[in-house]
Amino acid sequence: MNLANKLTLLRVILVPVFIVFMSLNSFAANIIALLVFIAASITDYFDGKIARKHGMVTTFGIFLDPLADKLLVASAFVSFVAVYTLNVPAWMVICIIAREFIITGLRSIAASKNVIIAASMWGKIKTTSQMIAIITILVILTVNSAIIKFYSVTPYDLIDGTKLQKMLGIILLNTPFWLMLITTILTVYSGLSYILKYKNLFTEVK
């Protein structure tokens, strides 16, 4: 197994590690979950770069790389739904995951007809928005747990405090929702753009 594939496999291994620390939902655990996600994201950047630069592209890597990405992103979004202070609706996560299933199916149909679906601009925007949303929400989650640990108050309690505390509480409670809403819209739109562009695949005879 070459270095690029090892990095991809490491990303898969980090997924359950990330989930475990997210489930603990403590200040220390949230910091570790944030660092694990960042580490996994770094492997995503380097595995493809190394594979292309050194001619390490393999069938195993082509299969595992997108799977590892989807597992990592899905595990983060699903974990967010379980944290009440983040206010992340389940329907947004369902839309995001459904999009990934649908486009994976579309790529399978395309492959069976020897058609290559290249990553589009909207696909790249979708991926970027998801990474920004996840890392930002993880930071907010860490701040929330720090407030609970060191000040024994929740973001909801801040709403009833001073003007500055109220502003902080509103930011902490509302930012995850709006980040997820923007990410969901971009994710769904990118999926629709793929479907409309390759709609002929559903009607062509193999």
Side-chain angles (χ1 to χ4, degrees):
M1 182 180 293
N2 61 44
L3 178 58
N5 287 345
K6 287 179 180 178
L7 288 173
T8 305
L9 187 59
L10 174 61
R11 188 156 72 258
V12 174
I13 295 172
L14 287 176
V15 169
V17 176
F18 172 78
I19 292 172
V20 168
F21 283 104
M22 280 295 295
S23 66
L24 295 176
N25 195 24
S26 67
F27 176 59
N30 289 335
I31 291 177
I32 295 173
L34 172 61
L35 294 176
V36 168
F37 186 88
I38 291 174
S41 300
I42 290 173
T43 67
D44 182 28
Y45 172 78
F46 282 106
D47 61 0
K49 191 172 183 178
I50 291 172
R52 289 187 295 271
K53 184 176 180 180
H54 299 283
M56 295 181 179
V57 178
T58 64
T59 302
F60 177 74
I62 293 172
F63 163 76
L64 191 62
D65 183 62
L67 178 61
D69 295 344
K70 289 175 176 57
L71 286 173
L72 181 63
V73 169
S75 66
F77 286 141
V78 171
S79 297
F80 291 161
V81 174
V83 183
Y84 79 100
T85 56
L86 293 180
N87 297 314
V88 174
W91 68 265
M92 292 184 183
V93 177
I94 292 171
C95 287
I96 290 172
I97 294 176
R99 182 269 186 200
E100 300 301 338
F101 277 118
I102 292 169
I103 299 305
T104 297
L106 180 64
R107 290 185 185 279
S108 297
I109 294 173
S112 70
K113 299 182 178 183
N114 296 317
V115 176
I116 298 176
I117 297 180
S120 69
M121 178 191 70
W122 283 109
K124 294 176 181 178
I125 291 174
K126 177 268 300 184
T127 300
T128 301
S129 71
Q130 288 181 350
M131 292 298 105
I132 291 173
I134 292 172
I135 292 175
T136 303
I137 292 173
L138 285 173
V139 171
I140 290 173
L141 180 60
T142 302
V143 173
N144 288 347
S145 58
I147 292 172
I148 293 171
K149 178 178 175 61
F150 297 109
Y151 298 98
S152 300
V153 296
T154 69
Y156 291 100
D157 297 324
L158 294 175
I159 301 296
D160 298 322
T162 64
K163 187 175 181 179
L164 184 61
Q165 290 174 336
K166 182 177 181 179
M167 184 180 300
L168 177 60
I170 290 173
I171 291 173
L172 293 174
L173 290 171
N174 291 315
T175 301
F177 174 86
W178 289 106
L179 278 175
M180 283 297 300
L181 180 60
I182 293 170
T183 300
T184 302
I185 292 172
L186 291 174
T187 299
V188 172
Y189 183 83
S190 70
L192 290 174
S193 69
Y194 277 116
I195 293 172
L196 292 175
K197 184 176 181 178
Y198 295 97
K199 61 181 182 296
N200 59 307
L201 292 174
F202 296 103
T203 56
E204 287 180 353
V205 179
K206 183 177 178 182

